Amino acid sequence: MPIFEPLGNQHWRPTALAAGPFAGLQGGAVAGLLTAEVEAQAGSRNWGAAVAASAWFLRPTPMGDLRTELSVMVEGGRVSVVDNTLYVDGDDKPCATVRVTLSRQRAVELPELPDRGSETHDPARFSVRTRKAAHGKPWFMDAMEARQGEDAAWFHLNHPVIEGAGPLSRVLGPADWTHGIARPLENVVADPNPNVTVQLLRPPVGAWIGVRPQTRWLPGTGLGIGSGTLLDTEGEIGRVSMSVVLVPFPKPAPAGS
């Protein structure tokens, strides 16, 4: 079952598996949908492979019927750039937008490069990591199996974002968790990311996506960053980065108020 059901003509209905931990949809699900639509057109438009996506989450996306609007910024030659924006159906105020960079591959002769060494992984040997949403209902994490390794978290997406989703859109969901995997503090503040950028060195092999994360928070500013190396079972496939905005948890109301 896909995470978003097609309604035709760039209209979509999110399933419960698209939900975030609080209100609205998970950013990784939203970015995956917008990128998947671009990847779906890449073959017929001769854009090449999607090598990078930058998403901005402009406001919470509610659980309801949605529409997307695709705009080609640059087309032709070696590189194409395509924007895709998400709206609530019947509303002209955007919820999120993504800019996807695509490139046609071309053989290039290079001098011998340094050997980075081989790196193989077996995520199945690590323990399963489960996490419930604050609302107690199904959410995006339920669409995947998560396991915690020594220095990386591993995700196996069990449901496609949409039918026929491409490699980059498949990576965005796991990558969106980067800033939360290596949080400096737990249960102190919420740390939403208003954006996320993923760059792929190559498409992932197999279904497992790993994130080797780093997170930094700057005291006194309410700001931070998250970044990480993206992996599959055969080694490095790319990088992810995002800004982080720290939001204090609401203080409980005094007793008797």
Side-chain angles (χ1 to χ4, degrees):
M1 178 184 72
I3 296 170
F4 291 89
E5 299 174 351
L7 302 178
N9 194 29
Q10 290 188 270
H11 285 69
W12 303 90
R13 178 169 295 159
T15 68
L17 295 177
F22 301 105
L25 305 188
Q26 177 69 28
V30 168
L33 167 65
L34 293 171
T35 302
E37 276 198 297
V38 175
E39 288 186 290
Q41 295 194 30
S44 61
R45 302 288 290 267
N46 197 28
W47 290 335
V51 295
S54 292
W56 293 266
F57 308 118
L58 307 176
R59 62 173 177 144
T61 302
M63 182 68 71
D65 290 354
L66 308 169
R67 67 178 176 87
T68 58
E69 186 176 302
L70 191 146
S71 176
V72 178
M73 306 304 293
V74 177
E75 183 177 39
R78 183 79 183 273
V79 175
S80 296
V81 179
V82 183
D83 288 355
N84 200 10
T85 304
L86 184 69
Y87 303 85
V88 175
D89 198 13
D91 188 349
D92 290 333
K93 187 176 180 180
C95 295
T97 188
V98 67
R99 173 162 290 184
V100 181
T101 303
L102 307 101
S103 178
R104 285 183 280 181
Q105 292 189 6
R106 181 181 301 165
V108 178
E109 294 295 331
L110 295 172
E112 185 175 347
L113 298 175
D115 184 7
R116 295 177 60 92
S118 61
E119 184 180 18
T120 58
H121 304 275
D122 179 18
R125 69 186 179 91
F126 301 122
S127 59
V128 175
R129 177 183 180 182
T130 59
R131 183 178 173 188
K132 298 297 183 182
H135 48 63
K137 300 177 183 178
W139 67 309
F140 190 47
M141 184 62 82
D142 295 325
M144 61 186 77
E145 178 182 329
R147 294 177 180 261
Q148 183 61 55
E150 289 96 350
D151 66 345
W154 291 90
F155 301 89
H156 187 296
L157 196 61
N158 296 321
H159 299 265
V161 178
I162 63 174
E163 290 294 347
L168 181 54
S169 58
R170 196 159 57 82
V171 170
L172 276 162
D176 188 53
W177 294 113
T178 299
H179 65 300
I181 300 170
R183 300 175 89 248
L185 298 171
E186 295 287 342
N187 302 319
V188 176
V189 293
D191 56 338
N193 57 306
N195 56 42
V196 61
T197 294
V198 167
Q199 297 164 316
L200 283 188
L201 177 64
R202 60 171 175 81
V205 175
W208 285 102
I209 303 297
V211 182
R212 186 177 288 144
Q214 291 184 330
T215 303
R216 298 289 184 269
W217 294 354
L218 189 62
T221 67
L223 300 176
I225 57 172
S227 63
T229 301
L230 299 172
L231 310 163
D232 64 10
T233 57
E234 297 185 4
E236 181 179 341
I237 62 170
R239 301 295 173 91
V240 56
S241 64
M242 67 262 289
S243 301
V244 176
V245 178
L246 306 181
V247 181
F249 286 149
K251 295 182 180 180
S257 62

